[in-house]
Amino acid sequence: EGWPADPYTGESLAGRYEIVRRIGADGTGLTFLGTSAKGKDRVVVRMLAPDLAGVSGLVNRFLAEIRKVRDLRDPLFPVVLDIGTGFGKELTPYFVREYVEGESLAVLLSRDLAFDVPETLDIASRIAAGMHRAHARGLIHRHLRPDKIVFRGLRDPDPVKILDLGFAQVAPLDEVTSMGHVDALRYAPPDGEEAPVDPRVDVYALGVLIYDMVSGLPEMRSSVHGSNPSPGRLSVVRPALGKALD
């Protein structure tokens, strides 16, 4: 909802999927809601940004990363259903993944919703375990932030899903930020683009996510490195927690 109609709406992909509407965009590409050819199952189609598709060597790196995600087959990450290189007139690379029901952490935080500590630890431990398994397969997220975490409810066998694994080598942090993700740099190490693309970038991001979930009101929500203050003490942000977590 809220995205204008575009020329991709109604397009067929390899005769197996149909584009319904655009549901997102960032520095890495466009995201569409789609359906299977028979119209029974909803899917998500992620298309590499057309301007990135022309960068030498990037398409091959992108496809190699997505194949790793497909082969990972981990419950913390949506299943990759298809991979192709014929999206639109530009023949842009894309992949199709399962549609994930639920609300993102970004939506929950926008309501100033704070999680209790046991719930936060449960969710964080699931994310940490999933990322550990991904790291063991040579996959780094690099863009881990609230809009990439979807909650399906703690009663679900897989209550948390991590979206968009496989884009670490596609778009730099500043490019993603320029496309409207104001908080993107807040979840990156202080050295930003100079930081090595290794598991530490995801560990740092998870630490910030934990703070956000417990506080419910990120103090640095709209700031970037170089101008933001240190996170407020949790005993000040949420006095009911006491000083044990400061």
Side-chain angles (χ1 to χ4, degrees):
E1 298 293 341
W3 290 95
D6 58 51
Y8 299 112
T9 299
E11 182 165 329
S12 175
L13 290 177
R16 294 191 291 273
Y17 310 98
E18 183 173 315
I19 301 300
V20 176
R21 67 174 186 273
R22 187 191 300 190
I23 56 175
D26 63 18
T28 63
L30 305 177
T31 306
F32 299 89
L33 175 67
T35 63
S36 62
K38 296 181 179 179
K40 293 182 179 180
D41 300 313
R42 287 188 291 181
V43 298
V44 169
V45 180
R46 286 282 275 138
M47 181 185 80
L48 186 65
D51 58 327
L52 295 178
V55 178
S56 177
L58 190 146
V59 169
N60 288 337
R61 294 200 302 273
F62 169 74
L63 294 174
E65 287 281 292
I66 296 305
R67 291 187 186 106
K68 284 185 182 180
V69 177
R70 177 194 60 193
D71 296 341
L72 181 61
R73 298 189 178 279
D74 188 283
L76 264 289
F77 304 97
V79 175
V80 174
L81 303 170
D82 212 339
I83 302 172
T85 56
F87 197 124
K89 296 179 180 179
E90 305 88 352
L91 299 181
T92 305
Y94 69 90
F95 70 92
V96 182
R97 66 163 173 82
E98 68 173 321
Y99 177 82
V100 178
E101 294 275 4
E103 290 188 297
S104 72
L105 177 58
V107 170
L108 298 177
L109 290 176
S110 72
R111 301 173 187 157
D112 294 337
L113 174 67
F115 294 75
D116 61 40
V117 173
E119 186 178 28
T120 298
L121 293 177
D122 177 69
I123 293 168
S125 65
R126 293 174 187 272
I127 295 172
M131 289 310 309
H132 176 72
R133 294 189 291 270
H135 293 161
R137 300 289 291 271
L139 287 161
I140 310 298
H141 197 295
R142 197 189 188 194
H143 303 132
L144 198 62
R145 55 182 190 260
D147 59 318
K148 305 302 183 183
I149 308 297
V150 174
F151 294 97
R152 296 152 57 94
L154 292 178
R155 293 183 179 181
D156 192 285
D158 300 314
V160 181
K161 289 285 187 181
I162 303 172
L163 307 183
D164 289 353
L165 180 66
F167 285 86
Q169 306 297 333
V170 172
L173 296 170
D174 57 354
E175 186 169 340
V176 175
T177 305
S178 70
M179 295 296 291
H181 288 289
V182 177
D183 286 349
L185 290 180
R186 194 168 92 75
Y187 297 90
D191 40 359
E193 280 303 309
E194 301 302 318
V197 182
D198 64 29
R200 290 173 292 180
V201 301
D202 294 333
V203 173
Y204 183 95
L206 179 57
V208 181
L209 288 170
I210 291 171
Y211 176 90
D212 288 355
M213 292 172 65
V214 175
S215 69
L217 186 61
E219 184 173 316
M220 301 178 290
R221 178 170 292 168
S222 60
S223 58
V224 297
H225 290 304
S227 61
N228 58 354
S230 298
R233 291 186 176 184
L234 287 171
S235 61
V236 175
V237 178
R238 284 186 68 187
L241 293 174
K243 296 184 178 181
L245 299 178
D246 279 353

